[in-house]
Amino acid sequence: QVQLKESGGGLVQAGGSLRLSCAVAGRTFSWYAMGWFRQAPGKEREFVAAISRSGGSTSYSDSVKGRFTIFRDNAEKMVYLQMSSLKPEDTAIYYCAAGGSDYYSTRTRDDEYDYWGQGTQVTVSS
C-alpha cells in the first residue's frame, strides 16, 4: 500500500507562486510515476503535470505549461509542483497521485493512477 500526503496549498494573489509537496510512504517510491491533478468547484478533475519514475520525462497540461514545474526527489520520496504566475483560474484542490509505469514514461490520465492523496486547497485571488 502507498500513502500520499500533499502540503503547501494556501491563498496567494494572482501573479504569485506556491510550491506544493507530496510525501509518499509505503512501497518503493521509485517504482511509481507521479502526477498532479486538480479539481475546481463544479468541474471535473483534470490533469496538471506528470513525471516519470526516472524524473527525466515530464508532461504538462496546456493551461499550466511554462508556469508550473514538476520534479521529484526519489531519495526523499517526495514530489513537488512549483507553481508560478498563478491565475485565479488555477484555484482548485490539487491532488498528488502515484501509478505503476515503465521507467521513462509519464501518465496523464487519472485512470492510470492507483493511489491518491487527500488534496490541498490552492486559492488564487485576483
PDB file of all heavy atoms in Angstrom, residues 53-93:
ATOM      1  N   ARG A  53       9.184   7.792 -13.615  1.00  0.00           N
ATOM      2  CA  ARG A  53       9.917   7.205 -12.497  1.00  0.00           C
ATOM      3  C   ARG A  53      11.349   7.727 -12.458  1.00  0.00           C
ATOM      4  O   ARG A  53      11.897   7.976 -11.390  1.00  0.00           O
ATOM      5  CB  ARG A  53       9.932   5.689 -12.636  1.00  0.00           C
ATOM      6  CG  ARG A  53       8.607   5.025 -12.365  1.00  0.00           C
ATOM      7  CD  ARG A  53       8.653   3.548 -12.729  1.00  0.00           C
ATOM      8  NE  ARG A  53       9.766   2.873 -12.073  1.00  0.00           N
ATOM      9  CZ  ARG A  53      10.211   1.678 -12.428  1.00  0.00           C
ATOM     10  NH1 ARG A  53       9.637   1.032 -13.442  1.00  0.00           N
ATOM     11  NH2 ARG A  53      11.211   1.117 -11.777  1.00  0.00           N
ATOM     12  N   SER A  54      11.953   7.882 -13.615  1.00  0.00           N
ATOM     13  CA  SER A  54      13.339   8.349 -13.682  1.00  0.00           C
ATOM     14  C   SER A  54      13.487   9.819 -13.329  1.00  0.00           C
ATOM     15  O   SER A  54      14.562  10.269 -12.947  1.00  0.00           O
ATOM     16  CB  SER A  54      13.889   8.113 -15.091  1.00  0.00           C
ATOM     17  OG  SER A  54      13.259   8.999 -16.014  1.00  0.00           O
ATOM     18  N   GLY A  55      12.394  10.563 -13.480  1.00  0.00           N
ATOM     19  CA  GLY A  55      12.452  12.009 -13.305  1.00  0.00           C
ATOM     20  C   GLY A  55      12.885  12.740 -14.558  1.00  0.00           C
ATOM     21  O   GLY A  55      12.854  13.963 -14.616  1.00  0.00           O
ATOM     22  N   GLY A  56      13.249  11.994 -15.587  1.00  0.00           N
ATOM     23  CA  GLY A  56      13.766  12.617 -16.796  1.00  0.00           C
ATOM     24  C   GLY A  56      12.713  13.036 -17.795  1.00  0.00           C
ATOM     25  O   GLY A  56      12.999  13.787 -18.724  1.00  0.00           O
ATOM     26  N   SER A  57      11.486  12.559 -17.626  1.00  0.00           N
ATOM     27  CA  SER A  57      10.388  12.914 -18.533  1.00  0.00           C
ATOM     28  C   SER A  57       9.274  13.590 -17.758  1.00  0.00           C
ATOM     29  O   SER A  57       8.905  13.125 -16.669  1.00  0.00           O
ATOM     30  CB  SER A  57       9.832  11.667 -19.216  1.00  0.00           C
ATOM     31  OG  SER A  57      10.807  11.032 -19.991  1.00  0.00           O
ATOM     32  N   THR A  58       8.770  14.669 -18.306  1.00  0.00           N
ATOM     33  CA  THR A  58       7.659  15.383 -17.682  1.00  0.00           C
ATOM     34  C   THR A  58       6.611  15.719 -18.733  1.00  0.00           C
ATOM     35  O   THR A  58       6.916  15.810 -19.931  1.00  0.00           O
ATOM     36  CB  THR A  58       8.116  16.687 -17.003  1.00  0.00           C
ATOM     37  OG1 THR A  58       8.779  17.512 -17.969  1.00  0.00           O
ATOM     38  CG2 THR A  58       9.060  16.404 -15.840  1.00  0.00           C
ATOM     39  N   SER A  59       5.386  15.897 -18.272  1.00  0.00           N
ATOM     40  CA  SER A  59       4.281  16.308 -19.136  1.00  0.00           C
ATOM     41  C   SER A  59       3.456  17.347 -18.398  1.00  0.00           C
ATOM     42  O   SER A  59       3.342  17.286 -17.162  1.00  0.00           O
ATOM     43  CB  SER A  59       3.384  15.118 -19.495  1.00  0.00           C
ATOM     44  OG  SER A  59       4.087  14.123 -20.196  1.00  0.00           O
ATOM     45  N   TYR A  60       2.877  18.269 -19.156  1.00  0.00           N
ATOM     46  CA  TYR A  60       2.071  19.330 -18.562  1.00  0.00           C
ATOM     47  C   TYR A  60       0.816  19.561 -19.393  1.00  0.00           C
ATOM     48  O   TYR A  60       0.832  19.392 -20.617  1.00  0.00           O
ATOM     49  CB  TYR A  60       2.861  20.636 -18.500  1.00  0.00           C
ATOM     50  CG  TYR A  60       4.094  20.565 -17.651  1.00  0.00           C
ATOM     51  CD1 TYR A  60       5.327  20.256 -18.206  1.00  0.00           C
ATOM     52  CD2 TYR A  60       4.024  20.802 -16.280  1.00  0.00           C
ATOM     53  CE1 TYR A  60       6.463  20.169 -17.416  1.00  0.00           C
ATOM     54  CE2 TYR A  60       5.156  20.724 -15.483  1.00  0.00           C
ATOM     55  CZ  TYR A  60       6.375  20.407 -16.057  1.00  0.00           C
ATOM     56  OH  TYR A  60       7.490  20.329 -15.267  1.00  0.00           O
ATOM     57  N   SER A  61      -0.229  19.986 -18.719  1.00  0.00           N
ATOM     58  CA  SER A  61      -1.399  20.431 -19.461  1.00  0.00           C
ATOM     59  C   SER A  61      -1.063  21.761 -20.134  1.00  0.00           C
ATOM     60  O   SER A  61      -0.183  22.504 -19.676  1.00  0.00           O
ATOM     61  CB  SER A  61      -2.595  20.596 -18.535  1.00  0.00           C
ATOM     62  OG  SER A  61      -2.378  21.676 -17.637  1.00  0.00           O
ATOM     63  N   ASP A  62      -1.772  22.050 -21.198  1.00  0.00           N
ATOM     64  CA  ASP A  62      -1.516  23.304 -21.911  1.00  0.00           C
ATOM     65  C   ASP A  62      -1.761  24.519 -21.024  1.00  0.00           C
ATOM     66  O   ASP A  62      -1.116  25.551 -21.176  1.00  0.00           O
ATOM     67  CB  ASP A  62      -2.406  23.389 -23.156  1.00  0.00           C
ATOM     68  CG  ASP A  62      -1.973  22.418 -24.241  1.00  0.00           C
ATOM     69  OD1 ASP A  62      -0.823  21.932 -24.182  1.00  0.00           O
ATOM     70  OD2 ASP A  62      -2.790  22.142 -25.142  1.00  0.00           O
ATOM     71  N   SER A  63      -2.692  24.395 -20.098  1.00  0.00           N
ATOM     72  CA  SER A  63      -3.063  25.540 -19.266  1.00  0.00           C
ATOM     73  C   SER A  63      -1.981  25.928 -18.263  1.00  0.00           C
ATOM     74  O   SER A  63      -1.988  27.048 -17.756  1.00  0.00           O
ATOM     75  CB  SER A  63      -4.376  25.253 -18.537  1.00  0.00           C
ATOM     76  OG  SER A  63      -4.233  24.140 -17.683  1.00  0.00           O
ATOM     77  N   VAL A  64      -1.058  25.022 -17.971  1.00  0.00           N
ATOM     78  CA  VAL A  64      -0.019  25.334 -16.976  1.00  0.00           C
ATOM     79  C   VAL A  64       1.385  25.311 -17.564  1.00  0.00           C
ATOM     80  O   VAL A  64       2.339  25.697 -16.881  1.00  0.00           O
ATOM     81  CB  VAL A  64      -0.083  24.385 -15.765  1.00  0.00           C
ATOM     82  CG1 VAL A  64      -1.492  24.336 -15.193  1.00  0.00           C
ATOM     83  CG2 VAL A  64       0.408  22.986 -16.095  1.00  0.00           C
ATOM     84  N   LYS A  65       1.528  24.868 -18.787  1.00  0.00           N
ATOM     85  CA  LYS A  65       2.841  24.748 -19.404  1.00  0.00           C
ATOM     86  C   LYS A  65       3.554  26.100 -19.402  1.00  0.00           C
ATOM     87  O   LYS A  65       2.988  27.118 -19.767  1.00  0.00           O
ATOM     88  CB  LYS A  65       2.689  24.227 -20.832  1.00  0.00           C
ATOM     89  CG  LYS A  65       3.941  23.664 -21.448  1.00  0.00           C
ATOM     90  CD  LYS A  65       3.632  23.015 -22.792  1.00  0.00           C
ATOM     91  CE  LYS A  65       2.720  21.820 -22.647  1.00  0.00           C
ATOM     92  NZ  LYS A  65       2.462  21.140 -23.940  1.00  0.00           N
ATOM     93  N   GLY A  66       4.786  26.081 -18.963  1.00  0.00           N
ATOM     94  CA  GLY A  66       5.568  27.303 -18.877  1.00  0.00           C
ATOM     95  C   GLY A  66       5.429  28.040 -17.555  1.00  0.00           C
ATOM     96  O   GLY A  66       6.206  28.954 -17.263  1.00  0.00           O
ATOM     97  N   ARG A  67       4.448  27.642 -16.761  1.00  0.00           N
ATOM     98  CA  ARG A  67       4.242  28.294 -15.452  1.00  0.00           C
ATOM     99  C   ARG A  67       4.493  27.336 -14.291  1.00  0.00           C
ATOM    100  O   ARG A  67       4.912  27.779 -13.217  1.00  0.00           O
ATOM    101  CB  ARG A  67       2.808  28.829 -15.357  1.00  0.00           C
ATOM    102  CG  ARG A  67       2.459  29.858 -16.401  1.00  0.00           C
ATOM    103  CD  ARG A  67       1.090  30.493 -16.119  1.00  0.00           C
ATOM    104  NE  ARG A  67       0.006  29.521 -16.162  1.00  0.00           N
ATOM    105  CZ  ARG A  67      -0.821  29.276 -15.141  1.00  0.00           C
ATOM    106  NH1 ARG A  67      -0.668  29.912 -13.986  1.00  0.00           N
ATOM    107  NH2 ARG A  67      -1.807  28.394 -15.283  1.00  0.00           N
ATOM    108  N   PHE A  68       4.199  26.055 -14.499  1.00  0.00           N
ATOM    109  CA  PHE A  68       4.358  25.059 -13.439  1.00  0.00           C
ATOM    110  C   PHE A  68       5.515  24.126 -13.781  1.00  0.00           C
ATOM    111  O   PHE A  68       5.779  23.835 -14.956  1.00  0.00           O
ATOM    112  CB  PHE A  68       3.089  24.220 -13.303  1.00  0.00           C
ATOM    113  CG  PHE A  68       1.895  24.940 -12.742  1.00  0.00           C
ATOM    114  CD1 PHE A  68       1.861  26.314 -12.576  1.00  0.00           C
ATOM    115  CD2 PHE A  68       0.772  24.213 -12.384  1.00  0.00           C
ATOM    116  CE1 PHE A  68       0.747  26.957 -12.075  1.00  0.00           C
ATOM    117  CE2 PHE A  68      -0.351  24.839 -11.870  1.00  0.00           C
ATOM    118  CZ  PHE A  68      -0.363  26.208 -11.720  1.00  0.00           C
ATOM    119  N   THR A  69       6.172  23.621 -12.732  1.00  0.00           N
ATOM    120  CA  THR A  69       7.245  22.650 -12.902  1.00  0.00           C
ATOM    121  C   THR A  69       7.062  21.527 -11.904  1.00  0.00           C
ATOM    122  O   THR A  69       6.895  21.774 -10.702  1.00  0.00           O
ATOM    123  CB  THR A  69       8.616  23.302 -12.681  1.00  0.00           C
ATOM    124  OG1 THR A  69       8.786  24.381 -13.599  1.00  0.00           O
ATOM    125  CG2 THR A  69       9.728  22.288 -12.907  1.00  0.00           C
ATOM    126  N   ILE A  70       7.106  20.293 -12.394  1.00  0.00           N
ATOM    127  CA  ILE A  70       7.031  19.126 -11.526  1.00  0.00           C
ATOM    128  C   ILE A  70       8.424  18.532 -11.408  1.00  0.00           C
ATOM    129  O   ILE A  70       9.175  18.470 -12.385  1.00  0.00           O
ATOM    130  CB  ILE A  70       6.022  18.086 -12.063  1.00  0.00           C
ATOM    131  CG1 ILE A  70       5.853  16.930 -11.081  1.00  0.00           C
ATOM    132  CG2 ILE A  70       6.413  17.581 -13.451  1.00  0.00           C
ATOM    133  CD1 ILE A  70       4.718  15.967 -11.451  1.00  0.00           C
ATOM    134  N   PHE A  71       8.790  18.120 -10.210  1.00  0.00           N
ATOM    135  CA  PHE A  71      10.060  17.435 -10.019  1.00  0.00           C
ATOM    136  C   PHE A  71       9.936  16.509  -8.815  1.00  0.00           C
ATOM    137  O   PHE A  71       9.019  16.647  -8.002  1.00  0.00           O
ATOM    138  CB  PHE A  71      11.232  18.413  -9.872  1.00  0.00           C
ATOM    139  CG  PHE A  71      11.102  19.441  -8.778  1.00  0.00           C
ATOM    140  CD1 PHE A  71      11.789  19.280  -7.585  1.00  0.00           C
ATOM    141  CD2 PHE A  71      10.322  20.574  -8.950  1.00  0.00           C
ATOM    142  CE1 PHE A  71      11.690  20.228  -6.585  1.00  0.00           C
ATOM    143  CE2 PHE A  71      10.204  21.524  -7.952  1.00  0.00           C
ATOM    144  CZ  PHE A  71      10.891  21.351  -6.766  1.00  0.00           C
ATOM    145  N   ARG A  72      10.870  15.583  -8.737  1.00  0.00           N
ATOM    146  CA  ARG A  72      10.798  14.579  -7.675  1.00  0.00           C
ATOM    147  C   ARG A  72      12.173  14.353  -7.066  1.00  0.00           C
ATOM    148  O   ARG A  72      13.201  14.578  -7.701  1.00  0.00           O
ATOM    149  CB  ARG A  72      10.228  13.272  -8.216  1.00  0.00           C
ATOM    150  CG  ARG A  72      11.088  12.573  -9.248  1.00  0.00           C
ATOM    151  CD  ARG A  72      10.328  11.412  -9.901  1.00  0.00           C
ATOM    152  NE  ARG A  72      10.099  10.316  -8.975  1.00  0.00           N
ATOM    153  CZ  ARG A  72       9.217   9.343  -9.188  1.00  0.00           C
ATOM    154  NH1 ARG A  72       8.473   9.351 -10.282  1.00  0.00           N
ATOM    155  NH2 ARG A  72       9.084   8.363  -8.316  1.00  0.00           N
ATOM    156  N   ASP A  73      12.149  13.872  -5.842  1.00  0.00           N
ATOM    157  CA  ASP A  73      13.362  13.501  -5.128  1.00  0.00           C
ATOM    158  C   ASP A  73      13.151  12.065  -4.676  1.00  0.00           C
ATOM    159  O   ASP A  73      12.469  11.815  -3.676  1.00  0.00           O
ATOM    160  CB  ASP A  73      13.578  14.435  -3.940  1.00  0.00           C
ATOM    161  CG  ASP A  73      14.889  14.167  -3.211  1.00  0.00           C
ATOM    162  OD1 ASP A  73      15.374  13.018  -3.249  1.00  0.00           O
ATOM    163  OD2 ASP A  73      15.412  15.094  -2.601  1.00  0.00           O
ATOM    164  N   ASN A  74      13.722  11.125  -5.406  1.00  0.00           N
ATOM    165  CA  ASN A  74      13.483   9.714  -5.100  1.00  0.00           C
ATOM    166  C   ASN A  74      14.099   9.318  -3.760  1.00  0.00           C
ATOM    167  O   ASN A  74      13.574   8.440  -3.065  1.00  0.00           O
ATOM    168  CB  ASN A  74      14.028   8.828  -6.215  1.00  0.00           C
ATOM    169  CG  ASN A  74      13.122   8.809  -7.437  1.00  0.00           C
ATOM    170  OD1 ASN A  74      12.007   9.338  -7.415  1.00  0.00           O
ATOM    171  ND2 ASN A  74      13.595   8.219  -8.517  1.00  0.00           N
ATOM    172  N   ALA A  75      15.196   9.932  -3.382  1.00  0.00           N
ATOM    173  CA  ALA A  75      15.819   9.603  -2.106  1.00  0.00           C
ATOM    174  C   ALA A  75      14.935  10.023  -0.931  1.00  0.00           C
ATOM    175  O   ALA A  75      14.845   9.319   0.083  1.00  0.00           O
ATOM    176  CB  ALA A  75      17.180  10.266  -2.007  1.00  0.00           C
ATOM    177  N   GLU A  76      14.267  11.166  -1.076  1.00  0.00           N
ATOM    178  CA  GLU A  76      13.409  11.672  -0.005  1.00  0.00           C
ATOM    179  C   GLU A  76      11.966  11.229  -0.164  1.00  0.00           C
ATOM    180  O   GLU A  76      11.128  11.529   0.701  1.00  0.00           O
ATOM    181  CB  GLU A  76      13.470  13.207   0.021  1.00  0.00           C
ATOM    182  CG  GLU A  76      14.842  13.762   0.385  1.00  0.00           C
ATOM    183  CD  GLU A  76      15.263  13.382   1.791  1.00  0.00           C
ATOM    184  OE1 GLU A  76      14.385  13.307   2.693  1.00  0.00           O
ATOM    185  OE2 GLU A  76      16.465  13.120   1.999  1.00  0.00           O
ATOM    186  N   LYS A  77      11.644  10.552  -1.257  1.00  0.00           N
ATOM    187  CA  LYS A  77      10.280  10.074  -1.523  1.00  0.00           C
ATOM    188  C   LYS A  77       9.293  11.233  -1.559  1.00  0.00           C
ATOM    189  O   LYS A  77       8.239  11.208  -0.906  1.00  0.00           O
ATOM    190  CB  LYS A  77       9.865   9.008  -0.508  1.00  0.00           C
ATOM    191  CG  LYS A  77      10.797   7.796  -0.505  1.00  0.00           C
ATOM    192  CD  LYS A  77      10.495   6.811   0.596  1.00  0.00           C
ATOM    193  CE  LYS A  77       9.240   6.050   0.388  1.00  0.00           C
ATOM    194  NZ  LYS A  77       9.044   4.964   1.377  1.00  0.00           N
ATOM    195  N   MET A  78       9.684  12.253  -2.312  1.00  0.00           N
ATOM    196  CA  MET A  78       8.861  13.455  -2.428  1.00  0.00           C
ATOM    197  C   MET A  78       8.664  13.819  -3.897  1.00  0.00           C
ATOM    198  O   MET A  78       9.548  13.592  -4.731  1.00  0.00           O
ATOM    199  CB  MET A  78       9.532  14.634  -1.741  1.00  0.00           C
ATOM    200  CG  MET A  78       9.751  14.490  -0.245  1.00  0.00           C
ATOM    201  SD  MET A  78       8.211  14.652   0.691  1.00  0.00           S
ATOM    202  CE  MET A  78       7.800  16.359   0.377  1.00  0.00           C
ATOM    203  N   VAL A  79       7.518  14.399  -4.186  1.00  0.00           N
ATOM    204  CA  VAL A  79       7.287  15.006  -5.495  1.00  0.00           C
ATOM    205  C   VAL A  79       6.741  16.407  -5.249  1.00  0.00           C
ATOM    206  O   VAL A  79       6.008  16.643  -4.277  1.00  0.00           O
ATOM    207  CB  VAL A  79       6.343  14.157  -6.368  1.00  0.00           C
ATOM    208  CG1 VAL A  79       4.970  14.034  -5.750  1.00  0.00           C
ATOM    209  CG2 VAL A  79       6.261  14.714  -7.770  1.00  0.00           C
ATOM    210  N   TYR A  80       7.131  17.328  -6.115  1.00  0.00           N
ATOM    211  CA  TYR A  80       6.810  18.729  -5.922  1.00  0.00           C
ATOM    212  C   TYR A  80       6.129  19.305  -7.160  1.00  0.00           C
ATOM    213  O   TYR A  80       6.342  18.821  -8.279  1.00  0.00           O
ATOM    214  CB  TYR A  80       8.073  19.526  -5.640  1.00  0.00           C
ATOM    215  CG  TYR A  80       8.868  19.048  -4.462  1.00  0.00           C
ATOM    216  CD1 TYR A  80       9.911  18.140  -4.625  1.00  0.00           C
ATOM    217  CD2 TYR A  80       8.581  19.503  -3.176  1.00  0.00           C
ATOM    218  CE1 TYR A  80      10.643  17.695  -3.547  1.00  0.00           C
ATOM    219  CE2 TYR A  80       9.318  19.065  -2.087  1.00  0.00           C
ATOM    220  CZ  TYR A  80      10.345  18.155  -2.279  1.00  0.00           C
ATOM    221  OH  TYR A  80      11.065  17.725  -1.198  1.00  0.00           O
ATOM    222  N   LEU A  81       5.356  20.342  -6.935  1.00  0.00           N
ATOM    223  CA  LEU A  81       4.802  21.116  -8.042  1.00  0.00           C
ATOM    224  C   LEU A  81       5.082  22.584  -7.745  1.00  0.00           C
ATOM    225  O   LEU A  81       4.478  23.161  -6.834  1.00  0.00           O
ATOM    226  CB  LEU A  81       3.304  20.877  -8.200  1.00  0.00           C
ATOM    227  CG  LEU A  81       2.664  21.555  -9.411  1.00  0.00           C
ATOM    228  CD1 LEU A  81       3.161  20.901 -10.697  1.00  0.00           C
ATOM    229  CD2 LEU A  81       1.144  21.484  -9.346  1.00  0.00           C
ATOM    230  N   GLN A  82       6.022  23.145  -8.470  1.00  0.00           N
ATOM    231  CA  GLN A  82       6.328  24.571  -8.344  1.00  0.00           C
ATOM    232  C   GLN A  82       5.404  25.338  -9.274  1.00  0.00           C
ATOM    233  O   GLN A  82       5.428  25.124 -10.485  1.00  0.00           O
ATOM    234  CB  GLN A  82       7.784  24.833  -8.702  1.00  0.00           C
ATOM    235  CG  GLN A  82       8.177  26.289  -8.638  1.00  0.00           C
ATOM    236  CD  GLN A  82       8.154  26.830  -7.217  1.00  0.00           C
ATOM    237  OE1 GLN A  82       8.660  26.197  -6.301  1.00  0.00           O
ATOM    238  NE2 GLN A  82       7.557  28.002  -7.033  1.00  0.00           N
ATOM    239  N   MET A  83       4.615  26.233  -8.704  1.00  0.00           N
ATOM    240  CA  MET A  83       3.621  26.974  -9.467  1.00  0.00           C
ATOM    241  C   MET A  83       3.982  28.454  -9.448  1.00  0.00           C
ATOM    242  O   MET A  83       4.146  29.040  -8.371  1.00  0.00           O
ATOM    243  CB  MET A  83       2.232  26.759  -8.875  1.00  0.00           C
ATOM    244  CG  MET A  83       1.852  25.289  -8.726  1.00  0.00           C
ATOM    245  SD  MET A  83       0.158  25.048  -8.180  1.00  0.00           S
ATOM    246  CE  MET A  83       0.250  25.759  -6.541  1.00  0.00           C
ATOM    247  N   SER A  84       4.082  29.042 -10.611  1.00  0.00           N
ATOM    248  CA  SER A  84       4.423  30.461 -10.736  1.00  0.00           C
ATOM    249  C   SER A  84       3.395  31.145 -11.626  1.00  0.00           C
ATOM    250  O   SER A  84       2.635  30.500 -12.327  1.00  0.00           O
ATOM    251  CB  SER A  84       5.822  30.605 -11.334  1.00  0.00           C
ATOM    252  OG  SER A  84       6.786  29.933 -10.562  1.00  0.00           O
ATOM    253  N   SER A  85       3.411  32.473 -11.572  1.00  0.00           N
ATOM    254  CA  SER A  85       2.476  33.270 -12.382  1.00  0.00           C
ATOM    255  C   SER A  85       1.048  32.756 -12.223  1.00  0.00           C
ATOM    256  O   SER A  85       0.329  32.553 -13.211  1.00  0.00           O
ATOM    257  CB  SER A  85       2.892  33.248 -13.849  1.00  0.00           C
ATOM    258  OG  SER A  85       4.208  33.731 -14.013  1.00  0.00           O
ATOM    259  N   LEU A  86       0.673  32.546 -10.998  1.00  0.00           N
ATOM    260  CA  LEU A  86      -0.631  31.949 -10.727  1.00  0.00           C
ATOM    261  C   LEU A  86      -1.768  32.866 -11.162  1.00  0.00           C
ATOM    262  O   LEU A  86      -1.674  34.102 -11.078  1.00  0.00           O
ATOM    263  CB  LEU A  86      -0.747  31.610  -9.250  1.00  0.00           C
ATOM    264  CG  LEU A  86      -0.007  30.332  -8.843  1.00  0.00           C
ATOM    265  CD1 LEU A  86       0.233  30.290  -7.344  1.00  0.00           C
ATOM    266  CD2 LEU A  86      -0.773  29.105  -9.291  1.00  0.00           C
ATOM    267  N   LYS A  87      -2.845  32.222 -11.609  1.00  0.00           N
ATOM    268  CA  LYS A  87      -4.030  32.924 -12.088  1.00  0.00           C
ATOM    269  C   LYS A  87      -5.237  32.488 -11.263  1.00  0.00           C
ATOM    270  O   LYS A  87      -5.240  31.371 -10.712  1.00  0.00           O
ATOM    271  CB  LYS A  87      -4.284  32.576 -13.551  1.00  0.00           C
ATOM    272  CG  LYS A  87      -3.111  32.834 -14.482  1.00  0.00           C
ATOM    273  CD  LYS A  87      -3.415  32.328 -15.886  1.00  0.00           C
ATOM    274  CE  LYS A  87      -2.231  32.538 -16.815  1.00  0.00           C
ATOM    275  NZ  LYS A  87      -2.523  32.030 -18.193  1.00  0.00           N
ATOM    276  N   PRO A  88      -6.266  33.309 -11.203  1.00  0.00           N
ATOM    277  CA  PRO A  88      -7.468  32.906 -10.458  1.00  0.00           C
ATOM    278  C   PRO A  88      -8.034  31.574 -10.951  1.00  0.00           C
ATOM    279  O   PRO A  88      -8.568  30.799 -10.143  1.00  0.00           O
ATOM    280  CB  PRO A  88      -8.433  34.063 -10.712  1.00  0.00           C
ATOM    281  CG  PRO A  88      -7.545  35.245 -10.897  1.00  0.00           C
ATOM    282  CD  PRO A  88      -6.352  34.728 -11.631  1.00  0.00           C
ATOM    283  N   GLU A  89      -7.891  31.280 -12.223  1.00  0.00           N
ATOM    284  CA  GLU A  89      -8.413  30.012 -12.746  1.00  0.00           C
ATOM    285  C   GLU A  89      -7.596  28.803 -12.306  1.00  0.00           C
ATOM    286  O   GLU A  89      -7.968  27.656 -12.596  1.00  0.00           O
ATOM    287  CB  GLU A  89      -8.515  30.056 -14.276  1.00  0.00           C
ATOM    288  CG  GLU A  89      -7.262  30.512 -14.979  1.00  0.00           C
ATOM    289  CD  GLU A  89      -7.281  31.995 -15.324  1.00  0.00           C
ATOM    290  OE1 GLU A  89      -7.709  32.813 -14.464  1.00  0.00           O
ATOM    291  OE2 GLU A  89      -6.866  32.337 -16.455  1.00  0.00           O
ATOM    292  N   ASP A  90      -6.482  29.019 -11.635  1.00  0.00           N
ATOM    293  CA  ASP A  90      -5.729  27.904 -11.048  1.00  0.00           C
ATOM    294  C   ASP A  90      -6.315  27.483  -9.699  1.00  0.00           C
ATOM    295  O   ASP A  90      -5.867  26.479  -9.124  1.00  0.00           O
ATOM    296  CB  ASP A  90      -4.261  28.296 -10.841  1.00  0.00           C
ATOM    297  CG  ASP A  90      -3.530  28.538 -12.150  1.00  0.00           C
ATOM    298  OD1 ASP A  90      -3.735  27.744 -13.098  1.00  0.00           O
ATOM    299  OD2 ASP A  90      -2.760  29.511 -12.223  1.00  0.00           O
ATOM    300  N   THR A  91      -7.284  28.209  -9.210  1.00  0.00           N
ATOM    301  CA  THR A  91      -7.917  27.867  -7.939  1.00  0.00           C
ATOM    302  C   THR A  91      -8.584  26.502  -8.022  1.00  0.00           C
ATOM    303  O   THR A  91      -9.402  26.246  -8.908  1.00  0.00           O
ATOM    304  CB  THR A  91      -8.963  28.933  -7.557  1.00  0.00           C
ATOM    305  OG1 THR A  91      -8.295  30.183  -7.329  1.00  0.00           O
ATOM    306  CG2 THR A  91      -9.726  28.514  -6.311  1.00  0.00           C
ATOM    307  N   ALA A  92      -8.194  25.619  -7.105  1.00  0.00           N
ATOM    308  CA  ALA A  92      -8.703  24.243  -7.127  1.00  0.00           C
ATOM    309  C   ALA A  92      -8.122  23.481  -5.942  1.00  0.00           C
ATOM    310  O   ALA A  92      -7.226  23.972  -5.257  1.00  0.00           O
ATOM    311  CB  ALA A  92      -8.307  23.540  -8.426  1.00  0.00           C
ATOM    312  N   ILE A  93      -8.640  22.291  -5.736  1.00  0.00           N
ATOM    313  CA  ILE A  93      -7.982  21.334  -4.850  1.00  0.00           C
ATOM    314  C   ILE A  93      -6.987  20.559  -5.716  1.00  0.00           C
ATOM    315  O   ILE A  93      -7.365  20.029  -6.771  1.00  0.00           O
ATOM    316  CB  ILE A  93      -8.980  20.384  -4.188  1.00  0.00           C
ATOM    317  CG1 ILE A  93      -9.979  21.174  -3.337  1.00  0.00           C
ATOM    318  CG2 ILE A  93      -8.241  19.358  -3.327  1.00  0.00           C
ATOM    319  CD1 ILE A  93     -11.094  20.329  -2.757  1.00  0.00           C
TER     320      ILE A  93
END
